[in-house]
Amino acid sequence: KNSAKAMEKELVTCSLQDKEQTAIDRSQIFQLPQRKDLETKVIVVLGKAGMGKSILVQKICQDWSNGEFSQFEFVFWFDCKQISLPEKLYSLQELLLEFFVKPQEGSKEIFEYILQNPAKVLLIFDGFKGLHDHENSPRSSASQPEKDLCSIKELLSGLIQKKILNGCTLLFTARPKDKLYQYVSKVDKTIEIVGFSPQQRELYITRYFEESPYCDSALKLIQECEYLFSHCYSPVMCRFVCFLCEALLEMGEKSLPSTLTEVFLKFFQQKVMLMQTDVTATQNQESLAALARIAWHLGEKHQSAMKSDLIPSKEVKEFALKYGFFLPFAFPRHSDSEEEEFGSTFSDFVIQNFLCALHLLLAEELKDKNLTKYLSFLSKKKKPFHWLDLMPRFLVGLMFLQDDPYLCSLSNEDAKQSTKKQKTLLKYIRRLQMNTLCPERLLELLCCVYETQNNYLLQHVALRLEPDLSFLGIALTPPDVHVLLSILKRSRKEFSLDLRNSSIDMQGLQALVSLRNVTSFRASLSDTVRLWKSLEQTKDYELLKASTEKFVLDPFKAKTVKDINDLCDLVKMQEKMMNCVQEASGCSSYGIPAIRNLRKLEFALGPACGLQGLQKLVKVLAAFPSLQHLDLDALSENGIGDEGAKSLSEVFPTLTSLETLNLSQNKITDVGAENLAAALPSLSSLKTLSLYNNNICDFGAENLAKVLPAMRSLRVLDVQYNKITDVGAQQLTDSLRKCPHIKNLVMWNPTIPYGVLEHLHQLDSRISV
């Protein structure tokens, strides 16, 4: 415990969404900044289930075999589902040279070479369950972890903690949890796979059907079903939708299912029924129910794989393998005399999710009321079933598909029992206090309700949505946006949306902000400017004008140089748009309301980029006529120094509305104070000035004292924690007598004797001690 706590103190956590993001090519994955040390490098590839992480890993291995990534002499690739069974133990040598590939000869010599040359080794762990599961796990108890048997958890801990094979490169693929937190000191690079754009979806579907007679009609059919087309942003979902579309077109059908639940119910129906006879139908139904039970029991333990001999019957095993629901694999043997052991893993994570939902619906031991606990909207704790993230949506969808003939054939329930389950869910959702749900739970509720396609439920949640909807920091996928869009359309309320750091795509952003009942929105500046540029190019001036009027910027906090660049782009955009709007409406003086109405701007770039960022910011500050509060005080200290203070003071005459200026903790000395003092009287509305915790001495205090009488609007001045002595304090006090408008002067400094400060306070009670 103590060692774990000590480790936690050394680690800094940060959200991936606070990072500056840029698209990269596959060849750049292993390009890292030059480091002096030769320690283990850790790269994490993130992506939701079905985004193509495993395909990417396979392509990396293929590229390496063709001569790329030549810095590695050895590449080992492991599927974490297969190696993570808790009862299995491995040595590093077994894991590398038995499980992955077994050399015909010289295993011992090869392993010794690997140990001596770790920098030439790339280890890939596909489907890693998250670094936080392993960071504080027990350290390996084996005396020689490279050669002794350990659990996979101990081996991974040893690799991450650089106790085993220090100097190698580790590549993990993982699904991002609700909000991903990475250990910065442990991860050298984080990459996220974001899925297909609408154009890439079209390309995938076209190529899937390019040798099919349904090529043109398939693409049109899928695009017409907007919800399913939105799900095609995920490569694996795109494949399932294409498979089902092809099967339905061959049967002469002219429409696709309207929900994801229906897609997968028909997928199973097509897979199984096309090959079964009357004799095997009953047996297949029993096997499917047994497979669903296995999916649930594994899912409860966050597992997708099991030892094949634990499958309840030969029939179930053959059924799962025959229809492609299971994939087989072999475990390594500790000795040549040991019998070979096999395992099975679900072929796809989405299939396991659907089967889990099917089990909960079919399980006779589960009462109707118990089903709602698996939805967990009310839970304030971490979702108990977050690992099976699609399961609640499938479960709710199946409850409202119980008239489907195929689902009826799997269930022993009568119509009354089915209706009772629906009524239980309706009652549960009616009782939900939607205004208490966090954004993530609310989004999950909306997606679940959408799967029912029940008009009463859809209207119920639409009418009970709060007018201020924040999805700040919540990843909004194209299907999420489609659901949100369709439910907002049903409501008569007006909404204000916060879409910042939601990774929403441009099409989704455009669709939401174009809704008439969305009266204001916040979104990442770069996304908003990109949308406006697109509207400008397509000459959609009406929507361009409407979206600029809805956009809200206040208050704005800049954390990176990119934020400042985006703000500059926004100001440039305003200049361009003035001409566009003038053409469309004949209005000669038009400005983006968000720029005109910005009142508070926080600047928190830190010491590395503080000065650089400020010098860019001052060039556009004049564009914000209503700016009242400029805060340059940050926990990490911006450190703009005297150069930054000089740059800022030069634009003071343009900041006519500024009331609060916070320059605390910025390493400003007497030189900077002199420049500030010369320009401060031009801030005609300034009420509060903070220069707390800088390096200002008596000369700086003297310059400030000279201009105080001219600062007629000033009410509070804070110069505490500087290097002012009793000399500078006396000068400020003398000036204060000429300033009846000032209500408070805070100037405690360690360099002013307490007795002096107390005496000055007695002379003028406005001086704080």
Side-chain angles (χ1 to χ4, degrees), residues 430-494:
R430 276 202 306 267
R431 287 183 173 180
L432 274 178
Q433 298 290 321
M434 284 176 56
N435 60 337
T436 65
L437 298 180
C438 68
E440 188 192 5
R441 297 280 195 275
L442 177 62
L443 188 62
E444 180 65 17
L445 170 66
L446 299 183
C447 290
C448 284
V449 168
Y450 189 86
E451 284 293 318
T452 69
Q453 285 298 291
N454 179 277
N455 280 321
Y456 171 79
L457 271 180
L458 288 165
Q459 196 66 26
H460 173 84
V461 296
L463 293 175
R464 279 158 183 75
L465 283 176
E466 290 291 295
D468 293 323
L469 288 176
S470 173
F471 296 99
L472 174 64
I474 305 297
L476 288 176
T477 64
D480 294 335
V481 173
H482 178 90
V483 168
L484 186 58
L485 192 69
S486 65
I487 290 175
L488 289 179
K489 282 178 180 177
R490 287 174 169 265
S491 180
R492 294 186 293 271
K493 290 182 184 177
E494 291 186 343

Side-chain angles (χ1 to χ4, degrees), residues 265-266 269 273 285 401-411:
L265 187 62
K266 287 193 177 293
Q269 185 180 358
M273 291 186 72
Q285 289 167 15
L401 278 179
Q402 296 199 3
D403 292 336
D404 184 274
Y406 180 61
L407 188 58
C408 289
S409 72
L410 298 174
S411 174

